[in-house]
Structures are given as C-alpha cells and as structure tokens.
Amino acid sequence: MCNCMKDIGEKLHGKLMDKVPDGAEVNKGFDTGWENTWLNFSSGETCVMLKYKLAYRAKKKNGEMAKNLTRTECAISMSYCPFCGEKQKG
C-alpha cells in the first residue's frame, strides 16, 4: 500500500492551517485528520470518500480562548489513489 494518505494529509493540514487565525489553539484529537471512507452502493462500485477535518479554538478579541471549537474540512472522492494511481481495494 502506498504512503499517499499520509503525505496528502500533511499537505491538507498545512493548507487548512492557513485558515486558522493567529493565536488559535489547534485541536490534536479526533477532530483533526482523515475522517472515513465510504462505499458507493448506488453505482455498485467501490468509491472512496475521504474527508480531512481540522478543529481549532479561536482567540477572542479580549485575548481569551473561545469556548467552542471552529471546524473546517475538505472532502475528496476517488476510486484510484490520486497520487500514485494505485487502484483502491473494495
């Protein structure tokens, strides 16, 4: 199996970090990283849907950290690895 998931995950993380305001606290738990894979049962073919999520706690104007997390995400649908072309198993 290829290492593309790890490599593109790092790139997506960097891109999503551009949206995080200065002074924010990035969540390192389950709210960051690839979310899941899915099967497309309507077409009868295996379809991989990957979602990368990032959650952060923004800094309020008064300097305190916000109570709630702000979330952003990016989804990618594929049946082949978009980086090396390896067919996804299904």
Side-chain angles (χ1 to χ4, degrees):
M1 191 99 194
C2 63
N3 290 327
C4 298
M5 295 298 295
K6 179 181 173 243
D7 297 339
I8 193 63
E10 290 171 357
K11 290 178 183 178
L12 283 172
H13 183 83
K15 182 157 182 72
L16 292 174
M17 286 297 292
D18 292 342
K19 297 179 181 181
V20 178
D22 291 339
E25 181 180 283
V26 176
N27 187 350
K28 297 189 190 305
F30 292 107
D31 288 330
T32 300
W34 295 111
E35 185 178 70
N36 217 337
T37 58
W38 301 92
L39 298 175
N40 185 345
F41 292 110
S42 63
S43 69
E45 295 181 7
T46 301
C47 177
V48 179
M49 186 70 172
L50 298 173
K51 186 183 291 186
Y52 191 89
K53 304 185 309 177
L54 177 73
Y56 61 90
R57 194 172 313 280
K59 195 176 215 180
K60 297 193 296 187
K61 289 181 182 181
N62 66 4
E64 296 177 15
M65 299 308 283
K67 179 180 176 184
N68 297 324
L69 291 173
T70 301
R71 292 174 172 85
T72 186
E73 58 189 40
C74 179
I76 300 173
S77 177
M78 66 191 92
S79 56
Y80 290 87
C81 176
F83 310 105
C84 70
E86 182 177 317
K87 182 151 179 72
Q88 299 296 302
K89 296 178 181 180

